[in-house]
Amino acid sequence: MTSTLTKRVAAGLFAAVALMGAGAAQAEGGALHPRNVNFSFEGPFGTFDQGQLQRGYRVYEQVCSACHSMNLMAYRMLGQEGGPFYDEHHEAARNPYVAAIAAQIEVPDTDTETGEPITRPATPADHFRAPFPNATAAAFANGGAAPPDLSVITKARHGGAEYVYSILTGYRDAPDGLRINPGQHYNPYMNGDMSPFWEGDEHHVPPGGFIAMAPPLVAGAVTYDDGTEPTVDQMAQDVAAFLAWAGDMHQVERKRTGFAVLIYLLLFGIITWFSYKKIWRDVGH
Amino acid sequence: MSDHESTYVPKTGIEKWLDERLPIIRFGADYMALPTPRNLNYWWTFGAILTLCLVVQIATGIVLAMHYTPNTELAFDSVERIMRDVPGGWLIRYVHANGASMFFIAVYIHMFRGLYYGSYKQPREMIWILGCVIFFLLIATAFLGYVLPWGQMSYWGAEVITNLIGAIPVIGEPILIWLRGGPAIDNATLNRFFSLHYLLPFAIAGVVFLHLWALHQVGQSNPVGILMPKDSRSKDYLPFHPYFTVKDGFAIILFLMLFAVFVFYNPNALGHADNYIEANPLQTPAHIVPEWYMLPFYAILRAIPDKFGGVVAMFAAIGVLFILPWLDTSRVRSMRYRPTMKKLFVIFVVVCLGLGWCGAQLPDANVIPGIGGGFTLFDGDINTYLWLTRVLTAYYFLFFLVLMPWVGLKETPLAVPASISEPVLTGETEQKG
Ligand code: HEM
């Protein structure tokens, strides 16, 4: 009996590992593997550090939002449970910090009387202001490459937050022998194939690819209220954590629910196993 | 078995009244008392697991459909909105997306079980064929569903797969346009895919009903593979309830634990990151790959140098399953008693996993990196996934079309016990196989 059981479990595990392998196999490319960061939200029990989310939002707002939209985000979400400005005394839509943040931003609207296009201060219900009216304008302003929307960027790239962090901190001077087109920058963490641009040894093509984004962070680009030193590394970690939260904002709740579900299934499973033993006790099989 | 005597006795007046008009309680009671071969092992629990999978997909799917918008401009955002703003929406969507994968894990195990224990053989041909119909509909449903979130892989997967139809000579092109609702994949395509994705699971439920009806007509097979005695009071049977309800229940709990690990801790591990990029018809992804459960068939498709030939091979890989009952010439059902076939079966399972692996690789990539280009055979280097896939594809078809008929005639099976109680009661309690 137990032997079938172990076999079944083994088969399940084998299938799972094979699937993960197949997934990982799709990830390959000429880029360096993202650098490891010990983010607080990793692992089955990880949670977000609210201070870090606040700093990360500030980096997004003051630096990245000049080029990148986050169309799936509304200001009210910042005050939602688990969000950067969550305050248990206020409902998300009435959170005063969030209202103040939104009020500083002008969003486009239509005048309700004249029908003319106007701008007005945002409310928590508004979606994040987009820097460009459409993708064509975004591409035109950035030398032909539209900056991608960052709402789900950590789910849309292998490596998630660590990938974003690695891109932001990974810019290097191009090695000698690599031709770089104007408006492009070398980044070993970006996907791509450098061989057409490489004049050196064909067995040592540099890893990575070109990215049209100039290194967006310089030390001190933002000031942090909590006294944290705004180094490039710190800002990159903070904004990556913020993007990881924004891309999958219910993840802490999800893992917590999962723990309860697994405990429940475990107990239920044990009870069922003993009923099974009892029912089958006198039956040869 | 359908001819076992009904033991249901209506007790109250209402039950008697109903029993004469619509004997639905009797139907349920008889199901619970169904004489079941006592030696069924855990590989037989996947039927119950699959029923659960179907119910879960339909239940979560109906809720998703309340919030989903089948429009190319809105579909991607509407799925993300489900995840952000709909209460519990993240759970529903992750259960549905991972549920499709769990469904396929279960269906593949269920099918390998049938193959190993000869469940497709006389008198269960109809059960097997209906199962193959379900499998085919399941592939279609999952393909249609994967298009709905309108990510890059949704769009480009649909592009690649519908293009295959276009490879059919003469009639391909008109069918392609008819299917897409226009010359390109667009809003019309998304709308009809949504409509069909909603419809097909109910068609599957209908075929499942027929599948179970046929099952109850002839009775379940069993690991020993012998025909069961006609007398339903025989020692070889146990009533379905409580013996198998508790066994299936235990298996379902283990399965749900695996399911939960994916949904709650790795909800995107089985998906492709590119599907979180909204579909863009002007930008082809570097590497288009279908969902993992389609990979073996995708590999077979690419193994054939000719596009139409590839389409034929891919459909033949599923089609051959339908005629399996007539390809196997052995009179012994269970491979427990067929030592040669058992080895060939193990190879077959490895080959199927290998095909899945190959389906995720670039055909030109080296299987063994480092040794570089070796010897070129026809159109490709032999140290590439292209040739590995071809070898595996050859075995896949060889297994069904040559080994099944031939080994059945040649091999000498081991002695098969005359009844289930015999090996059971003589103490051979360990489940072999
Ligand atoms: C045989 C059962 C079913 C299977 C195998 C299946 C499979 C799938 C798959 C693979 C997806 C894409 C998931 C993703 O990556 O986002 C999907 C999406 C979807 N399905 Fe199903 N499905 C089934 C039944 C149903 C039913 C019965 C309904 C409706 C009543 C439904 C409604 C939807 C909707 C609205 C979506 C789009 C939302 C989303 O992508 O998450 N499904 N389905």
Side-chain angles (χ1 to χ4, degrees):
Chain A
M1 193 74 282
T2 33
S3 79
T4 10
L5 196 68
T6 29
K7 263 186 245 164
R8 190 182 165 275
V9 173
L13 287 178
F14 181 68
V17 170
L19 301 179
M20 306 264 219
Q26 296 159 4
E28 98 288 87
L32 291 186
H33 197 75
R35 283 166 62 196
N36 183 44
V37 184
N38 286 323
F39 283 116
S40 65
F41 53 86
E42 287 172 354
F45 301 104
T47 53
F48 286 102
D49 166 355
Q50 199 178 20
Q52 183 169 50
L53 290 184
Q54 293 182 358
R55 295 194 299 271
Y57 172 70
R58 174 160 292 194
V59 176
Y60 168 73
E61 216 277 309
Q62 297 191 357
V63 183
C64 323
S65 74
C67 302
H68 291 278
S69 61
M70 283 187 89
N71 291 336
L72 297 167
M73 293 291 293
Y75 295 105
R76 65 181 156 80
M77 293 174 184
L78 298 171
Q80 195 167 282
E81 192 170 349
F85 300 99
Y86 172 63
D87 177 355
E88 56 185 323
H89 304 300
H90 300 285
E91 237 182 278
R94 297 212 173 139
N95 183 310
Y97 307 104
V98 173
I101 287 168
Q104 290 167 6
I105 293 161
E106 291 278 313
V107 289
D109 202 351
T110 311
D111 190 285
T112 46
E113 271 173 35
T114 63
E116 293 293 317
I118 52 159
T119 62
R120 58 160 175 83
T123 68
D126 281 305
H127 276 241
F128 279 19
R129 179 190 51 193
F132 300 101
N134 53 52
T136 316
F140 182 72
N142 284 284
D149 186 276
L150 293 183
S151 312
V152 286
I153 195 79
T154 50
K155 288 193 289 189
R157 297 288 186 280
H158 289 283
E162 290 183 343
Y163 173 79
V164 173
Y165 165 80
S166 302
I167 287 283
L168 294 176
T169 56
Y171 287 93
R172 285 189 204 158
D173 290 337
D176 287 340
L178 191 65
R179 266 184 296 116
I180 300 195
N181 294 329
Q184 297 283 2
H185 308 267
Y186 171 63
N187 194 316
Y189 296 96
M190 185 78 178
N191 261 325
D193 178 9
M194 300 275 79
S195 41
F197 309 94
W198 177 241
E199 279 147 9
D201 179 2
E202 63 168 302
H203 295 295
H204 294 95
V205 181
F210 291 131
I211 183 164
M213 170 170 72
L217 295 172
V218 287
V222 301
T223 37
Y224 283 143
D225 300 336
D226 61 0
T228 308
E229 170 88 20
T231 59
V232 170
D233 195 82
Q234 183 67 44
M235 287 185 288
Q237 286 196 25
D238 293 346
V239 76
F242 170 72
L243 294 174
W245 168 77
D248 202 356
M249 52 179 64
H250 298 293
Q251 58 182 288
V252 173
E253 182 192 354
R254 186 186 77 220
K255 291 186 285 192
R256 233 175 247 152
T257 315
F259 187 67
V261 168
L262 282 176
I263 294 288
Y264 172 80
L265 286 174
L266 188 71
L267 294 178
F268 194 20
I270 291 171
I271 294 169
T272 314
W273 171 253
F274 282 109
S275 334
Y276 169 78
K277 277 297 183 203
K278 182 152 181 267
I279 288 168
W280 282 79
R281 189 181 40 205
D282 300 325
V283 193
H285 64 286
Chain B
M1 293 173 81
S2 67
D3 53 348
H4 81 273
E5 295 141 48
S6 182
T7 49
Y8 170 70
V9 189
K11 287 187 202 79
T12 61
I14 298 174
E15 281 179 66
K16 279 201 195 88
W17 183 89
L18 188 64
D19 196 49
E20 280 159 19
R21 289 161 181 82
L22 178 71
I24 189 163
I25 303 181
R26 177 179 299 277
F27 181 81
D30 289 354
Y31 198 113
M32 285 295 131
L34 189 81
T36 307
R38 65 194 303 151
N39 61 340
L40 298 189
N41 57 28
Y42 273 99
W43 298 113
W44 260 263
T45 59
F46 282 89
I49 289 172
L50 283 164
T51 316
L52 179 77
C53 287
L54 183 61
V55 171
V56 167
Q57 289 306 96
I58 291 182
T60 51
I62 288 175
V63 179
L64 286 174
M66 292 174 189
H67 302 281
Y68 170 78
T69 315
N71 178 297
T72 52
E73 298 285 319
L74 305 168
F76 184 86
D77 287 3
S78 78
V79 173
E80 271 302 318
R81 216 189 72 82
I82 293 174
M83 305 265 289
R84 282 155 199 267
D85 284 345
V86 175
W90 58 268
L91 179 61
I92 308 262
R93 196 251 169 163
Y94 279 151
V95 166
H96 195 77
N98 286 283
S101 283
M102 302 313 289
F103 209 141
F104 275 93
I105 291 178
V107 91
Y108 282 131
I109 295 179
H110 191 63
M111 291 167 77
F112 280 127
R113 187 285 318 258
L115 199 56
Y116 182 82
Y117 291 110
S119 302
Y120 50 86
K121 275 190 232 185
Q122 181 278 329
R124 298 189 182 81
E125 297 93 326
M126 274 319 289
I127 307 177
W128 175 263
I129 290 173
L130 289 165
C132 293
V133 173
I134 295 172
F135 176 58
F136 186 73
L137 291 175
L138 189 64
I139 290 184
T141 308
F143 162 70
L144 295 168
Y146 192 60
V147 178
L148 302 186
W150 207 243
Q152 274 288 67
M153 280 301 155
S154 299
Y155 179 89
W156 289 97
E159 173 80 20
V160 170
I161 300 297
T162 51
N163 259 333
L164 297 177
I165 316 262
I168 302 171
V170 190
I171 52 166
E173 198 65 25
I175 295 185
L176 178 68
I177 291 177
W178 177 75
L179 214 80
R180 288 177 174 174
I185 305 235
D186 212 330
N187 207 38
T189 326
L190 182 59
N191 273 290
R192 64 191 52 204
F193 278 20
F194 180 46
S195 169
L196 293 174
H197 182 68
Y198 206 135
L199 172 70
L200 285 193
F202 295 93
I204 293 179
V207 185
V208 167
F209 178 77
L210 297 180
H211 187 67
L212 293 179
W213 187 2
L215 177 73
H216 290 165
Q217 178 64 24
V218 296
Q220 277 165 290
S221 182
N222 63 80
V224 176
I226 50 174
L227 277 183
M228 298 295 289
K230 275 267 170 283
D231 180 3
S232 60
R233 278 160 311 184
S234 151
K235 274 212 295 281
D236 284 1
Y237 288 114
L238 289 173
F240 186 74
H241 181 72
Y243 293 98
F244 292 95
T245 40
V246 74
K247 192 165 187 166
D248 284 350
F250 181 64
I252 283 176
I253 292 170
L254 290 185
F255 186 79
L256 287 178
M257 288 174 99
L258 179 72
F259 199 158
V261 168
F262 278 110
V263 168
F264 294 104
Y265 295 103
N266 295 293
N268 296 310
L270 299 171
H272 196 294
D274 278 15
N275 226 30
Y276 279 109
I277 305 172
E278 192 171 357
N280 181 353
L282 300 177
Q283 193 184 69
T284 319
H287 190 178
I288 303 174
V289 268
E291 289 284 86
W292 70 266
Y293 39 80
M294 317 266 191
L295 288 174
F297 299 104
Y298 189 56
I300 292 176
L301 168 80
R302 293 193 303 182
I304 313 292
D306 173 62
K307 193 169 162 194
F308 180 58
V311 177
V312 171
M314 184 174 74
F315 280 101
I318 300 174
V320 70
L321 299 173
F322 283 81
I323 54 166
L324 179 60
W326 297 276
L327 290 174
D328 188 353
T329 51
S330 173
R331 289 205 331 284
V332 178
R333 287 194 187 78
S334 175
M335 286 192 198
R336 253 187 212 181
Y337 306 103
R338 302 181 61 192
T340 315
M341 205 59 211
K342 189 177 184 166
K343 290 192 194 90
L344 298 172
F345 170 82
V346 172
I347 298 174
F348 179 75
V349 175
V350 174
V351 163
C352 289
L353 292 175
L355 279 170
W357 180 260
C358 288
Q361 310 302 321
L362 291 170
D364 296 336
N366 286 151
V367 179
I368 308 166
I371 66 166
F375 173 72
T376 299
L377 190 64
F378 302 120
D379 57 346
D381 191 300
I382 52 166
N383 180 21
T384 56
Y385 281 98
L386 179 69
W387 272 106
L388 180 62
T389 311
R390 285 181 180 164
V391 172
L392 300 180
T393 303
Y395 185 85
Y396 183 96
F397 285 106
L398 212 68
F399 179 77
F400 288 116
L401 298 175
V402 178
L403 298 177
M404 273 282 180
W406 190 59
V407 175
L409 295 176
K410 290 283 165 196
E411 86 185 329
T412 332
L414 306 179
V416 180
S419 82
I420 293 179
S421 320
E422 187 191 315
V424 171
L425 298 182
T426 53
E428 213 201 294
T429 34
E430 267 320 282
Q431 313 269 332
K432 289 218 193 80

mmCIF file of all heavy atoms in Angstrom, chain A residues 82-110:
data_model
loop_
_atom_site.group_PDB
_atom_site.id
_atom_site.type_symbol
_atom_site.label_atom_id
_atom_site.label_comp_id
_atom_site.label_asym_id
_atom_site.label_seq_id
_atom_site.Cartn_x
_atom_site.Cartn_y
_atom_site.Cartn_z
ATOM 1 N N GLY A 82 -1.890 46.577 2.867
ATOM 2 C CA GLY A 82 -0.657 46.047 2.300
ATOM 3 C C GLY A 82 0.060 47.046 1.412
ATOM 4 O O GLY A 82 1.200 46.816 1.021
ATOM 5 N N GLY A 83 -0.589 48.140 1.076
ATOM 6 C CA GLY A 83 0.016 49.132 0.176
ATOM 7 C C GLY A 83 0.940 50.086 0.901
ATOM 8 O O GLY A 83 0.998 50.095 2.134
ATOM 9 N N PRO A 84 1.675 50.949 0.163
ATOM 10 C CA PRO A 84 2.687 51.817 0.764
ATOM 11 C C PRO A 84 2.113 52.788 1.788
ATOM 12 O O PRO A 84 2.776 53.107 2.761
ATOM 13 C CB PRO A 84 3.266 52.588 -0.428
ATOM 14 C CG PRO A 84 2.716 52.004 -1.655
ATOM 15 C CD PRO A 84 1.645 51.036 -1.302
ATOM 16 N N PHE A 85 0.893 53.287 1.581
ATOM 17 C CA PHE A 85 0.359 54.304 2.486
ATOM 18 C C PHE A 85 -0.857 53.791 3.249
ATOM 19 O O PHE A 85 -1.719 54.543 3.663
ATOM 20 C CB PHE A 85 0.033 55.587 1.707
ATOM 21 C CG PHE A 85 1.252 56.148 1.043
ATOM 22 C CD1 PHE A 85 1.503 55.914 -0.310
ATOM 23 C CD2 PHE A 85 2.191 56.862 1.784
ATOM 24 C CE1 PHE A 85 2.653 56.408 -0.912
ATOM 25 C CE2 PHE A 85 3.335 57.358 1.179
ATOM 26 C CZ PHE A 85 3.567 57.122 -0.161
ATOM 27 N N TYR A 86 -0.922 52.479 3.425
ATOM 28 C CA TYR A 86 -2.047 51.890 4.155
ATOM 29 C C TYR A 86 -2.048 52.410 5.583
ATOM 30 O O TYR A 86 -1.004 52.491 6.239
ATOM 31 C CB TYR A 86 -1.932 50.366 4.148
ATOM 32 C CG TYR A 86 -2.941 49.694 5.035
ATOM 33 C CD1 TYR A 86 -4.308 49.820 4.780
ATOM 34 C CD2 TYR A 86 -2.536 48.940 6.142
ATOM 35 C CE1 TYR A 86 -5.242 49.222 5.596
ATOM 36 C CE2 TYR A 86 -3.472 48.326 6.965
ATOM 37 C CZ TYR A 86 -4.824 48.468 6.687
ATOM 38 O OH TYR A 86 -5.748 47.877 7.488
ATOM 39 N N ASP A 87 -3.234 52.780 6.029
ATOM 40 C CA ASP A 87 -3.382 53.235 7.401
ATOM 41 C C ASP A 87 -4.665 52.615 7.909
ATOM 42 O O ASP A 87 -5.740 52.847 7.355
ATOM 43 C CB ASP A 87 -3.463 54.770 7.391
ATOM 44 C CG ASP A 87 -3.702 55.322 8.800
ATOM 45 O OD1 ASP A 87 -3.899 54.503 9.724
ATOM 46 O OD2 ASP A 87 -3.704 56.553 8.947
ATOM 47 N N GLU A 88 -4.552 51.839 8.966
ATOM 48 C CA GLU A 88 -5.722 51.072 9.396
ATOM 49 C C GLU A 88 -6.880 51.954 9.834
ATOM 50 O O GLU A 88 -8.010 51.507 9.925
ATOM 51 C CB GLU A 88 -5.350 50.081 10.499
ATOM 52 C CG GLU A 88 -4.690 50.746 11.684
ATOM 53 C CD GLU A 88 -4.217 49.735 12.706
ATOM 54 O OE1 GLU A 88 -4.923 48.736 12.908
ATOM 55 O OE2 GLU A 88 -3.136 49.948 13.290
ATOM 56 N N HIS A 89 -6.609 53.254 10.114
ATOM 57 C CA HIS A 89 -7.695 54.128 10.547
ATOM 58 C C HIS A 89 -8.493 54.702 9.399
ATOM 59 O O HIS A 89 -9.481 55.376 9.610
ATOM 60 C CB HIS A 89 -7.138 55.270 11.393
ATOM 61 C CG HIS A 89 -6.350 54.771 12.558
ATOM 62 N ND1 HIS A 89 -6.914 53.968 13.518
ATOM 63 C CD2 HIS A 89 -5.037 54.902 12.883
ATOM 64 C CE1 HIS A 89 -5.987 53.659 14.408
ATOM 65 N NE2 HIS A 89 -4.844 54.199 14.042
ATOM 66 N N HIS A 90 -7.999 54.472 8.158
ATOM 67 C CA HIS A 90 -8.704 55.082 7.029
ATOM 68 C C HIS A 90 -8.983 54.051 5.948
ATOM 69 O O HIS A 90 -8.135 53.228 5.643
ATOM 70 C CB HIS A 90 -7.856 56.203 6.417
ATOM 71 C CG HIS A 90 -7.545 57.294 7.371
ATOM 72 N ND1 HIS A 90 -8.475 58.229 7.748
ATOM 73 C CD2 HIS A 90 -6.415 57.595 8.050
ATOM 74 C CE1 HIS A 90 -7.924 59.064 8.609
ATOM 75 N NE2 HIS A 90 -6.675 58.701 8.814
ATOM 76 N N GLU A 91 -10.157 54.171 5.357
ATOM 77 C CA GLU A 91 -10.474 53.401 4.167
ATOM 78 C C GLU A 91 -9.553 53.859 3.033
ATOM 79 O O GLU A 91 -9.198 55.045 2.987
ATOM 80 C CB GLU A 91 -11.889 53.792 3.758
ATOM 81 C CG GLU A 91 -12.892 52.689 3.644
ATOM 82 C CD GLU A 91 -14.176 53.326 3.180
ATOM 83 O OE1 GLU A 91 -14.908 53.869 4.037
ATOM 84 O OE2 GLU A 91 -14.409 53.302 1.979
ATOM 85 N N ALA A 92 -9.253 52.961 2.105
ATOM 86 C CA ALA A 92 -8.308 53.307 1.043
ATOM 87 C C ALA A 92 -8.704 54.579 0.307
ATOM 88 O O ALA A 92 -7.884 55.465 0.066
ATOM 89 C CB ALA A 92 -8.194 52.139 0.055
ATOM 90 N N ALA A 93 -9.999 54.712 -0.017
ATOM 91 C CA ALA A 93 -10.426 55.855 -0.825
ATOM 92 C C ALA A 93 -10.434 57.161 -0.026
ATOM 93 O O ALA A 93 -10.493 58.237 -0.585
ATOM 94 C CB ALA A 93 -11.808 55.589 -1.402
ATOM 95 N N ARG A 94 -10.384 57.070 1.335
ATOM 96 C CA ARG A 94 -10.425 58.298 2.156
ATOM 97 C C ARG A 94 -9.113 58.572 2.847
ATOM 98 O O ARG A 94 -9.029 59.453 3.690
ATOM 99 C CB ARG A 94 -11.466 58.120 3.254
ATOM 100 C CG ARG A 94 -12.775 57.957 2.623
ATOM 101 C CD ARG A 94 -13.874 58.457 3.336
ATOM 102 N NE ARG A 94 -14.866 58.245 2.275
ATOM 103 C CZ ARG A 94 -16.036 57.814 2.399
ATOM 104 N NH1 ARG A 94 -16.443 57.645 3.462
ATOM 105 N NH2 ARG A 94 -16.857 57.599 1.421
ATOM 106 N N ASN A 95 -8.103 57.783 2.496
ATOM 107 C CA ASN A 95 -6.818 57.911 3.152
ATOM 108 C C ASN A 95 -6.237 59.300 2.866
ATOM 109 O O ASN A 95 -6.029 59.672 1.711
ATOM 110 C CB ASN A 95 -5.920 56.805 2.601
ATOM 111 C CG ASN A 95 -4.568 56.765 3.240
ATOM 112 O OD1 ASN A 95 -3.910 57.790 3.326
ATOM 113 N ND2 ASN A 95 -4.168 55.600 3.694
ATOM 114 N N PRO A 96 -5.970 60.113 3.916
ATOM 115 C CA PRO A 96 -5.529 61.496 3.664
ATOM 116 C C PRO A 96 -4.171 61.589 2.972
ATOM 117 O O PRO A 96 -3.956 62.492 2.174
ATOM 118 C CB PRO A 96 -5.484 62.123 5.059
ATOM 119 C CG PRO A 96 -5.464 60.984 6.014
ATOM 120 C CD PRO A 96 -6.122 59.832 5.346
ATOM 121 N N TYR A 97 -3.240 60.652 3.268
ATOM 122 C CA TYR A 97 -1.933 60.701 2.583
ATOM 123 C C TYR A 97 -2.134 60.507 1.092
ATOM 124 O O TYR A 97 -1.554 61.196 0.273
ATOM 125 C CB TYR A 97 -0.994 59.590 3.063
ATOM 126 C CG TYR A 97 -0.810 59.516 4.546
ATOM 127 C CD1 TYR A 97 -1.425 58.542 5.298
ATOM 128 C CD2 TYR A 97 0.033 60.441 5.179
ATOM 129 C CE1 TYR A 97 -1.243 58.469 6.662
ATOM 130 C CE2 TYR A 97 0.212 60.367 6.552
ATOM 131 C CZ TYR A 97 -0.430 59.378 7.287
ATOM 132 O OH TYR A 97 -0.250 59.314 8.627
ATOM 133 N N VAL A 98 -2.974 59.537 0.769
ATOM 134 C CA VAL A 98 -3.190 59.222 -0.642
ATOM 135 C C VAL A 98 -3.864 60.401 -1.339
ATOM 136 O O VAL A 98 -3.463 60.797 -2.435
ATOM 137 C CB VAL A 98 -4.033 57.939 -0.771
ATOM 138 C CG1 VAL A 98 -4.401 57.692 -2.215
ATOM 139 C CG2 VAL A 98 -3.273 56.756 -0.194
ATOM 140 N N ALA A 99 -4.844 61.004 -0.650
ATOM 141 C CA ALA A 99 -5.529 62.145 -1.252
ATOM 142 C C ALA A 99 -4.535 63.273 -1.507
ATOM 143 O O ALA A 99 -4.567 63.926 -2.559
ATOM 144 C CB ALA A 99 -6.649 62.614 -0.340
ATOM 145 N N ALA A 100 -3.599 63.477 -0.541
ATOM 146 C CA ALA A 100 -2.617 64.546 -0.700
ATOM 147 C C ALA A 100 -1.664 64.240 -1.854
ATOM 148 O O ALA A 100 -1.313 65.133 -2.639
ATOM 149 C CB ALA A 100 -1.839 64.726 0.607
ATOM 150 N N ILE A 101 -1.252 62.988 -1.953
ATOM 151 C CA ILE A 101 -0.358 62.606 -3.055
ATOM 152 C C ILE A 101 -1.043 62.845 -4.385
ATOM 153 O O ILE A 101 -0.466 63.432 -5.313
ATOM 154 C CB ILE A 101 0.036 61.118 -2.919
ATOM 155 C CG1 ILE A 101 1.028 60.960 -1.770
ATOM 156 C CG2 ILE A 101 0.621 60.589 -4.223
ATOM 157 C CD1 ILE A 101 1.242 59.515 -1.374
ATOM 158 N N ALA A 102 -2.307 62.405 -4.477
ATOM 159 C CA ALA A 102 -3.040 62.537 -5.737
ATOM 160 C C ALA A 102 -3.223 64.013 -6.084
ATOM 161 O O ALA A 102 -3.055 64.413 -7.242
ATOM 162 C CB ALA A 102 -4.379 61.829 -5.637
ATOM 163 N N ALA A 103 -3.519 64.832 -5.050
ATOM 164 C CA ALA A 103 -3.839 66.234 -5.311
ATOM 165 C C ALA A 103 -2.681 66.999 -5.932
ATOM 166 O O ALA A 103 -2.866 68.023 -6.576
ATOM 167 C CB ALA A 103 -4.291 66.904 -4.017
ATOM 168 N N GLN A 104 -1.443 66.499 -5.735
ATOM 169 C CA GLN A 104 -0.292 67.192 -6.311
ATOM 170 C C GLN A 104 -0.132 66.915 -7.798
ATOM 171 O O GLN A 104 0.723 67.484 -8.447
ATOM 172 C CB GLN A 104 0.992 66.736 -5.608
ATOM 173 C CG GLN A 104 1.084 67.227 -4.193
ATOM 174 C CD GLN A 104 2.175 66.510 -3.426
ATOM 175 O OE1 GLN A 104 2.938 65.726 -4.001
ATOM 176 N NE2 GLN A 104 2.256 66.775 -2.145
ATOM 177 N N ILE A 105 -0.927 65.965 -8.308
ATOM 178 C CA ILE A 105 -0.741 65.555 -9.702
ATOM 179 C C ILE A 105 -1.905 66.039 -10.537
ATOM 180 O O ILE A 105 -3.064 65.911 -10.132
ATOM 181 C CB ILE A 105 -0.591 64.017 -9.763
ATOM 182 C CG1 ILE A 105 0.731 63.650 -9.072
ATOM 183 C CG2 ILE A 105 -0.616 63.518 -11.192
ATOM 184 C CD1 ILE A 105 0.827 62.236 -8.650
ATOM 185 N N GLU A 106 -1.590 66.641 -11.663
ATOM 186 C CA GLU A 106 -2.627 67.139 -12.558
ATOM 187 C C GLU A 106 -2.950 66.065 -13.587
ATOM 188 O O GLU A 106 -2.048 65.547 -14.257
ATOM 189 C CB GLU A 106 -2.127 68.384 -13.291
ATOM 190 C CG GLU A 106 -1.960 69.602 -12.399
ATOM 191 C CD GLU A 106 -3.282 70.334 -12.158
ATOM 192 O OE1 GLU A 106 -4.008 70.573 -13.143
ATOM 193 O OE2 GLU A 106 -3.591 70.647 -10.990
ATOM 194 N N VAL A 107 -4.229 65.719 -13.683
ATOM 195 C CA VAL A 107 -4.611 64.730 -14.699
ATOM 196 C C VAL A 107 -5.536 65.368 -15.726
ATOM 197 O O VAL A 107 -6.259 66.315 -15.413
ATOM 198 C CB VAL A 107 -5.312 63.498 -14.072
ATOM 199 C CG1 VAL A 107 -4.336 62.644 -13.297
ATOM 200 C CG2 VAL A 107 -6.485 63.919 -13.224
ATOM 201 N N PRO A 108 -5.517 64.876 -16.954
ATOM 202 C CA PRO A 108 -6.380 65.447 -17.990
ATOM 203 C C PRO A 108 -7.839 65.066 -17.759
ATOM 204 O O PRO A 108 -8.130 63.998 -17.220
ATOM 205 C CB PRO A 108 -5.858 64.825 -19.291
ATOM 206 C CG PRO A 108 -5.126 63.602 -18.879
ATOM 207 C CD PRO A 108 -4.656 63.813 -17.481
ATOM 208 N N ASP A 109 -8.734 65.951 -18.128
ATOM 209 C CA ASP A 109 -10.169 65.680 -17.980
ATOM 210 C C ASP A 109 -10.910 66.538 -19.010
ATOM 211 O O ASP A 109 -10.286 67.259 -19.796
ATOM 212 C CB ASP A 109 -10.617 66.030 -16.547
ATOM 213 C CG ASP A 109 -11.905 65.299 -16.169
ATOM 214 O OD1 ASP A 109 -12.520 64.677 -17.056
ATOM 215 O OD2 ASP A 109 -12.300 65.371 -14.989
ATOM 216 N N THR A 110 -12.228 66.448 -18.976
ATOM 217 C CA THR A 110 -13.035 67.271 -19.874
ATOM 218 C C THR A 110 -13.898 68.170 -19.000
ATOM 219 O O THR A 110 -14.503 67.694 -18.036
ATOM 220 C CB THR A 110 -13.954 66.363 -20.719
ATOM 221 O OG1 THR A 110 -13.149 65.324 -21.256
ATOM 222 C CG2 THR A 110 -14.607 67.125 -21.844
#
